[in-house]
Amino acid sequence: MTKQLFTGAEMVVKALTALDVKYVFGYPGGSVLDIYDAIFQQDDFEHILVRHEQAATHMADGYTRATGEVGVVLATSGPGATNCVTGIATAYMDSIPMVVLAGQVATTLIGDDAFQETDIIGCSRPIVKHSFNCRNLEDIPNVIAKAFYIAKSGRPGPVVVELPKDLLIPQNKGEFSINTNVEMRSYNPTAKGHPKQIKKAVKIISEAKKLVVYSGGGIVLSDASKLLTKLVETLKAPCTNTLMGLGGISGTHENFIGMLGMHGSLEANKSMANADVILALGARFDDRVTNNVKKFCPNATIIHVDIDPTSISKTINAHVPIVGLVDIVIKQLLDELKETNFEPNEEALSQWWDQINQWRAVKSISYVPEAEGAKIKPQHVVESMYRITNGEAYVCSDVGQHQMFAAQYYPFAKPRQWINSGGLGTMGFGLPAAMGVKLAFPESHVICITGDGSIQMNIQELSTCLQYNLPVVIVSLNNRSLGMVRQWQDMIYGGRHSSSYMESLPDFVKVAEAYGHVGIQINELSELDTKLEEAFSIKNKLVFLDILVDEKEHVYPMQIRHGAVDEMWIKKGEKA
Amino acid sequence: MRRILAILLENEPGSLSRIVGLFSQRAFNIESLTVAPTEDNTLSRITIATRGDDKILEQILKQVNKLIDVIKVTDLTDRKHVERELLLIKVLAMNDKSRTEVKRITDIFRGSIIDIGKQIYTIQLTGDADKINAFIETLNNETEIIESARSGCVGIARGEKALRV
Ligand SMILES: Cc1ncc(C[n+]2csc(CCOP(=O)(O)OP(=O)(O)O)c2C)c(N)n1
Ligand SMILES: [Mg+2]
């Protein structure tokens, strides 16, 4: 009996099917037309045609952040592949599993500066977890299986697979075999924390008088939020989340003291600064958290749990490093606490909480309500949005002031509800990410919170939304400026607004309508709630809310540059 | 402080560029780097001489280890190890006096003259970096150096310790 033979393009499709892929986000071009032809002839997964490859990466990314499944991108060689670079970097910085299949010119042409040849492996090398150049047709399935395995295991991240054209064409065929149980001698990520370190950590935690649990995106990525909540409740300790970790514990949990860092709450940053023990779980002491590392929590004993050893003691020295998957390590910690009959030190706790509640009483996350007839405050919009969606929406953000207002004023009950580009801060991320989420959860409210600057960085995707019926709600906090840039210019550059506002903003209502959607402008406070309610009641159409907000509003509180973690501006000209 | 790292990694296309890229991307220093397949040609072994304090070295080791291709990495510096570098050097040997002197220096350093031209000697020397430096300096005081090529160091731990799969 002769074995059935397949083209490389067919193998790509068969491999993706074997890996249970439901969606591929992409854009065709010469080098990948054979793959597109093979996709056309199957119906195991759907291909989503975006309008720009960058959007394909963000859409895959949003899909992944909401579902936990590996996002798949397909792009042609040259410009198609380079258009993916920003999206790959975005995924890399936030540890999002993604597989990017990039076409390449035929192996016989590689190196000749052939039409649409770029070395995408080289271009993406510093921003991928790993990459593969396929050079043999029959390697394709296992390379793709490996790419998936690497992308999602350990500390997740994007993987690029380069597929030269001559491996895909109908003239070349080979046998298909795939092993989805990948084992690699050079890659075996640790899962469990070292038992000795767990014991050490629990001893320190048990003796702590002012403990803070500081948790990050790792909790979301490893679906450890229930365990985190249990740990926090067991310890009766305050818990702060990073921008990436919001929803790791419910935003309305009584032990939650808010986000920390540059625009975090006073109580979160103060608690960090005054803690005697910091238990860091799946967070990486990013510079937007620590502020000046030299002044960072000098009196705290730091226990740092992370899957990536390079994150430990990179910026802040850890006294007890624990390498492992954060869900597994939390389980180990809980077991050890039980084993050692842990009892919270009620006296110390009550003193600690008294102190924290004093910081809370400052109400650092607050704003001055609108005066009669004044422009809508952006924070107010987020509050209304929270109320109208019962706090249950997926909120996908772009980058700028609106992002911080969303993080501050929409307490997320669950992980994966808050989707933003925290590490890279990629403007243009919001809309395609929201589309990816909507694809996965068509019945849920999916919001893209954005600004007049960011939305224009991938606005062409409104077209994709129509094609695939993705009725997200775009909430654009239109302040007629690159607000976050302008805020820095106000605070640091003597109010010189160099290129931070745009003349000639388009009429966003008409833009939305031109793409076949509903556009609604909100200008008056009195109509804010009614129009928001209207927008969220429209289920089958995308609504673009162009909300004209007070352009003078700044994001507060804000860490004072070069200061300690808790040195903050509470409002204009007022220090904590 | 100078450090010698030995890295065992998959002999795959791109694996060397990932190492080199990592060092430049994170502003780690590379004093020298050597690479070749091992007796098992699915594996490569790299020796890197680098500089940095303990904190930087810890990051280098962790970052190298994090690369998917890397099987093992070790810092040879603090344990007993052997370190060797190969030098090929061409010097002017114009007259009897300088020829004798070059020969004498080469013998003292246990090098060997491996090629002789009309006015040029080519010498081969192995040793650790200090020895090679001293040799070059001594030659430089005696005659004119035309050209030199250094391999960069390779290193291996003494005794039982081995870097293998
Ligand atoms: C691709 C990209 N370019 C530039 C920046 C720098 N940047 C950060 S916030 C911001 C302004 C964003 O303006 P807008 O989307 O209107 O949001 P706002 O701050 O006004 O709410 C800019 C330019 C960025 N983060 N990403
Ligand atoms: Mg704006």
Side-chain angles (χ1 to χ4, degrees), chain A residues 316-342:
Chain A
I316 301 294
N317 194 45
H319 303 92
V320 185
I322 304 178
V323 177
L325 288 169
V326 74
D327 52 337
I328 292 176
V329 174
I330 295 178
K331 264 190 226 136
Q332 290 177 284
L333 290 171
L334 283 166
D335 288 348
E336 179 66 17
L337 284 164
K338 211 171 183 183
E339 190 81 7
T340 57
N341 298 315
F342 169 80

Side-chain angles (χ1 to χ4, degrees), chain A residues 92 125-126 129-131 150 155 184-187 308-310 312-314, chain B residues 10 17-18 21 25 42-43 55 58-59 62-63 66 68-71 165:
Chain A
Y92 181 71
R125 202 212 64 244
K129 184 168 173 187
H130 196 58
S131 44
I150 292 169
R155 179 179 183 173
M184 294 172 72
R185 63 178 173 183
S186 66
Y187 174 66
D308 182 356
T310 70
I312 298 180
S313 299
K314 179 169 61 184
Chain B
E10 297 289 354
S17 75
R18 281 190 202 83
Q25 172 189 354
T42 67
L43 295 172
K55 196 172 154 70
E58 182 183 331
Q59 264 300 309
K62 286 173 166 180
Q63 292 287 357
K66 184 173 163 181
I68 305 291
D69 289 331
V70 169
I71 294 170
V165 184

Side-chain angles (χ1 to χ4, degrees), chain A residues 376-528:
Chain A
I376 301 170
K377 297 275 179 155
Q379 301 94 324
H380 196 152
V381 178
V382 178
E383 284 179 337
S384 292
M385 190 173 99
Y386 176 72
R387 199 164 24 75
I388 290 164
T389 58
N390 293 322
E392 288 166 0
Y394 286 93
V395 179
C396 306
S397 185
D398 260 310
V399 173
Q401 292 182 317
H402 59 272
Q403 176 190 23
M404 292 302 129
F405 290 136
Q408 291 177 332
Y409 290 88
Y410 200 115
F412 295 97
K414 293 199 183 116
R416 303 192 180 278
Q417 225 188 314
W418 166 241
I419 287 170
N420 85 130
S421 164
L424 198 68
T426 309
M427 289 172 69
F429 173 80
L431 176 58
M435 292 157 59
V437 178
K438 189 73 186 176
L439 197 64
F441 299 105
E443 302 305 321
S444 303
H445 283 309
V446 179
I447 298 170
C448 163
I449 180 112
T450 184
D452 46 309
S454 295
I455 191 64
Q456 294 190 80
M457 284 213 182
N458 265 320
I459 201 161
Q460 77 286 346
E461 295 309 315
L462 286 172
S463 175
T464 312
C465 289
L466 188 70
Q467 180 170 352
Y468 295 96
N469 185 30
L470 300 169
V472 301
V473 178
I474 297 173
V475 177
S476 178
L477 302 182
N478 183 347
N479 52 10
R480 282 82 58 210
S481 61
L482 304 175
M484 190 56 97
V485 171
R486 187 180 155 130
Q487 171 166 352
W488 283 48
Q489 290 171 338
D490 285 337
M491 296 176 78
I492 304 163
Y493 295 93
R496 291 180 295 278
H497 294 162
S498 178
S499 297
S500 60
Y501 61 94
M502 295 178 231
E503 307 272 347
S504 329
L505 278 178
D507 179 335
F508 287 109
V509 170
K510 281 196 185 145
V511 169
E513 287 170 357
Y515 276 106
H517 306 301
V518 178
I520 299 175
Q521 192 178 64
I522 306 180
N523 202 355
E524 301 290 334
L525 184 58
S526 58
E527 55 183 19
L528 176 63

